[in-house]
Amino acid sequence: MKTSKLIAILLIFLGISAASNAQSSVDEIVKEWERAKTYTKEYLDAMPESGYALKPTPEMRSFAQQMLHLTDGNYGFAAAATGAKSPVGQGESEKTTDISKANVTKLVLAGYDFVIENVKKMTPAQLNETTKLFGRFEMTKGTALAKCFEHQTHHRGQTTVYIRLAGAKPPQEKLF
């Protein structure tokens, strides 16, 4: 009898521990997205107003278009991962004609808020559910969020050169 009680208590403890660890994975994802939002805001702030239209070469996106493309990705990836309906159509942010610093900043931060708010609503089990990204790529919702994070990091990183070309200093790296 003592052995079965001990095993039962151990199983309960392991179950609680696993549930706690699983929830912490959602919390960690949210924490990383909040850090990324803050970091991206520093990039938006570092670029002078006059640099928002800057294109290093004619065929490249402008600084504003890079940031708005990043935002479109945040909406698209996060909608697929979380199941929330995106308030922005695919590629719509990048097509905005108001590329002022204030408007681009507002749109970009709203995209981060969409990701953060909807990841907060997820359960740990949902991270392991499958989704089809852009109707083509099947993966877990957790992987879709990781791809989203990679996408925004990639495009934010590209804008480091734009900020330097505008004669400004990009923010320090913010890994933690």
Side-chain angles (χ1 to χ4, degrees):
M1 189 67 154
K2 284 186 175 184
T3 304
S4 62
K5 281 186 181 180
L6 182 60
I7 290 173
I9 291 170
L10 182 60
L11 289 175
I12 290 170
F13 174 75
L14 290 174
I16 291 169
S17 178
S20 175
N21 287 339
Q23 183 57 47
S24 71
S25 65
V26 171
D27 295 341
E28 283 297 314
I29 292 169
V30 168
K31 181 180 171 186
E32 288 302 307
W33 276 98
E34 288 170 341
R35 178 183 58 81
K37 176 185 175 184
T38 299
Y39 195 26
T40 302
K41 173 77 164 67
E42 290 176 11
Y43 269 74
L44 293 161
D45 291 344
M47 179 58 94
E49 177 81 37
S50 61
Y52 272 66
L54 175 70
K55 287 183 164 191
T57 65
E59 67 276 358
M60 292 177 73
R61 291 180 174 107
S62 68
F63 176 84
Q65 289 169 325
Q66 281 284 13
M67 287 297 190
L68 293 168
H69 174 77
L70 172 160
T71 301
D72 283 330
N74 284 354
Y75 280 113
F77 283 91
T82 66
K85 182 171 173 24
S86 173
V88 174
Q90 189 171 353
E92 277 186 32
S93 299
E94 194 176 340
K95 295 175 188 169
T96 189
T97 55
D98 180 357
I99 60 164
S100 67
K101 185 172 185 166
N103 190 55
V104 171
T105 299
K106 178 184 85 170
L107 295 174
V108 170
L109 296 182
Y112 278 96
D113 289 340
F114 177 79
V115 176
I116 293 164
E117 288 167 16
N118 288 293
V119 170
K120 282 181 178 179
K121 296 175 189 174
M122 293 182 79
T123 65
Q126 288 174 308
L127 294 173
N128 294 317
E129 293 174 0
T130 59
T131 188
K132 204 170 238 186
L133 203 53
F134 307 118
R136 300 185 340 186
F137 308 104
E138 194 166 312
M139 64 190 68
T140 67
K141 292 179 177 188
T143 300
L145 287 171
K147 296 286 184 190
C148 185
F149 199 86
E150 180 180 356
H151 179 263
Q152 63 87 35
T153 300
H154 169 76
H155 287 286
R156 182 184 56 231
Q158 287 181 321
T159 65
T160 299
V161 174
Y162 291 68
I163 292 169
R164 289 201 184 278
L165 287 172
K169 186 176 185 227
Q172 285 295 112
E173 187 173 25
K174 188 182 237 58
L175 284 176
F176 307 99

